[in-house]
Every structure is written in structure tokens, then in C-alpha cells.
Amino acid sequence: MSTTDSTFTPALVVIDMQYDFVYGSLAVPGGSTIIDTINSLLKCPFAIKLASKDFHPADHISFAKTHDKPVLSKIIIYPPGKPLNNRPLEQVLWPVHCVANTPGFEFVEGLDREALDYTVHKGTDPGIETYSAFRDPWHLANTSLHGILESHGVTDVFVVGVAGDFCVKWTALDAVNLGYKTWVVRDAVKSVSDAGTEWEEMKNKGVRITNSDEVKKLVTG
Ligand SMILES: [Zn+2]
């Protein structure tokens, strides 16, 4: 496979490399150690390079503070405006993080943001949690990601960033469901938990697990 193969149009999708997820209120262990690897991938000739950002209002449904409950406790959430028996989901309650236009929301220092063609915001609706950079689990709040990828004829989506067991995983699974050949770059991802079960889960659902050296060979042909 190479860039001369017309069926290969790769996109790099950098998930949530924001201050709060690397050093701030919801820091993912080792998050800062993947910045250089992500920057080295951002130098490669992907057809397009995008980043997602968690973009929350101050009273977002995923914040423990919003519900006056302990961090990491769980609640059941429902699609806003729908009957209460309509697809309930368990929601982990997080510390306040990535509130739009606060320092914690900014890209982490050192990330080569100049290399990015697009930034996609998610989690903007106060009542809807959105781990995937494509859409929420109820498909009520689509982001612009799928449309951008389609408009560039992207065939292959390469996912990096944080957190491997939440937003990276759900983005990769959505990419598979939307018909993209989907790759997660293992040495450019860090997870909240060190259990590692997300890798098997993604593989079982059609995600290809790769590493940055392999990706560089694939993309540069
Ligand atoms: Zn969030």
C-alpha cells in the first residue's frame, strides 16, 4: 500500500491532546510522553490532519460537580427530551475539565498545532456526553468529523491521543461503523486505566492496532 494507490487516502485524527487531559484536572497517566510521537506523525503526508477537542459548558452532564456527587461515581443518563426508558446509559462522573475557552481546554503545550488542518469540537451540548469525535452514543449530536473525512475522500483513519479507553476507543469504533479502515497507533495513545482491555475490544470490532513506525512506512509509501 502506498500513496500512489488511489484507494489509500489516510487521515490522522488526534484525540483530545488538551491541557486538562495531559497535566490538568483529568490528566491521563503518561499523556505528555506521546506528544513527540504525535508530532512526528503530524510531519507525515496524511491527506488531512485533524484534532478533536472536548469543549464543555461549565455545567456539563459529565461533571460530578453538576450533580453534586463524588468524582468517579456513576449515574444513569438519558437522551435529552426523550422518554426516560429510552436507551439509558451509565455515565462516569468526571472532575470539571475542558470547559470551553479556559486554559484547560487549550491544546497541550508542545503539540504541533500548526500542522493541523481542522479542529473538531465535541461535548458542546450541556446534556449530552460525547466520547467519540464523531458523535454521541444516541447519535443526537454529530460533529463535523465524518463530513470532513468524506469531503476529502478519506479511506483510512489513524487515531492517536487520549484517552485510549474512552475517547480514542469510541472514535475508532465509530470510524469502523462508518465504513473507514481504522487504525489505532498504540505508541501514540495513553489510557486512564492500565488494565488494557480496550485493545482487545477494539481489535475484536475491526480496528487495526499498529505503531508509529509502521504508520510512517504506510503513509510515506
Ligand atoms: Zn469531557
Side-chain angles (χ1 to χ4, degrees):
M1 189 182 288
S2 75
T3 48
T4 56
D5 180 345
S6 63
T7 63
F8 181 57
T9 304
L12 182 66
V13 179
V14 180
I15 300 296
D16 295 6
M17 288 301 288
Q18 294 164 267
Y19 179 86
D20 270 346
F21 286 131
V22 178
Y23 299 116
S25 61
L26 193 39
V28 176
S32 65
T33 65
I34 58 173
I35 296 172
D36 288 349
T37 307
I38 292 174
N39 285 345
S40 71
L41 291 168
L42 281 166
K43 286 188 172 49
C44 294
F46 289 91
I48 51 169
K49 301 159 190 175
L50 311 93
S52 69
K53 276 179 137 180
D54 232 13
F55 183 103
H56 293 320
D59 59 348
H60 192 248
I61 192 166
S62 74
F63 297 163
K65 185 167 176 264
T66 301
H67 308 275
D68 203 19
K69 289 191 184 297
V71 165
L72 298 183
S73 61
K74 291 173 181 171
I75 61 167
I76 302 298
I77 57 172
Y78 305 90
K82 298 281 164 49
L84 287 186
N85 61 357
N86 189 319
R87 295 195 59 197
L89 289 174
E90 189 176 79
Q91 171 72 47
V92 180
L93 295 177
W94 302 111
V96 173
H97 63 274
C98 299
V99 173
N101 305 317
T102 63
F105 157 82
E106 299 299 333
F107 283 124
V108 66
E109 197 176 325
L111 184 74
D112 182 9
R113 68 199 72 186
E114 300 297 319
L116 294 167
D117 301 304
Y118 296 94
T119 301
V120 171
H121 291 158
K122 63 187 178 65
T124 57
D125 186 306
I128 302 178
E129 173 68 311
T130 308
Y131 288 146
S132 162
F134 287 99
R135 58 196 180 184
D136 67 284
W138 300 303
H139 304 175
L140 298 173
N142 291 336
T143 71
S144 53
L145 180 54
H146 185 39
I148 294 168
L149 296 175
E150 278 192 313
S151 72
H152 287 267
V154 167
T155 57
D156 290 61
V157 173
F158 292 82
V159 188
V160 300
V162 291
D165 40 355
F166 289 93
C167 297
V168 167
K169 179 180 85 175
W170 289 110
T171 300
L173 295 181
D174 264 345
V176 169
N177 289 335
L178 290 165
Y180 297 101
K181 194 185 250 188
T182 305
W183 312 73
V184 174
V185 188
R186 190 159 189 160
D187 58 325
V189 168
K190 287 291 175 187
S191 297
V192 173
S193 163
D194 59 8
T197 53
E198 65 276 21
W199 299 101
E200 206 56 35
E201 183 182 348
M202 287 191 280
K203 218 166 16 174
N204 289 342
K205 291 180 175 169
V207 176
R208 293 159 169 82
I209 310 300
T210 184
N211 63 66
S212 55
D213 287 338
E214 290 299 325
V215 175
K216 286 169 195 170
K217 279 183 218 154
L218 274 175
V219 174
T220 56

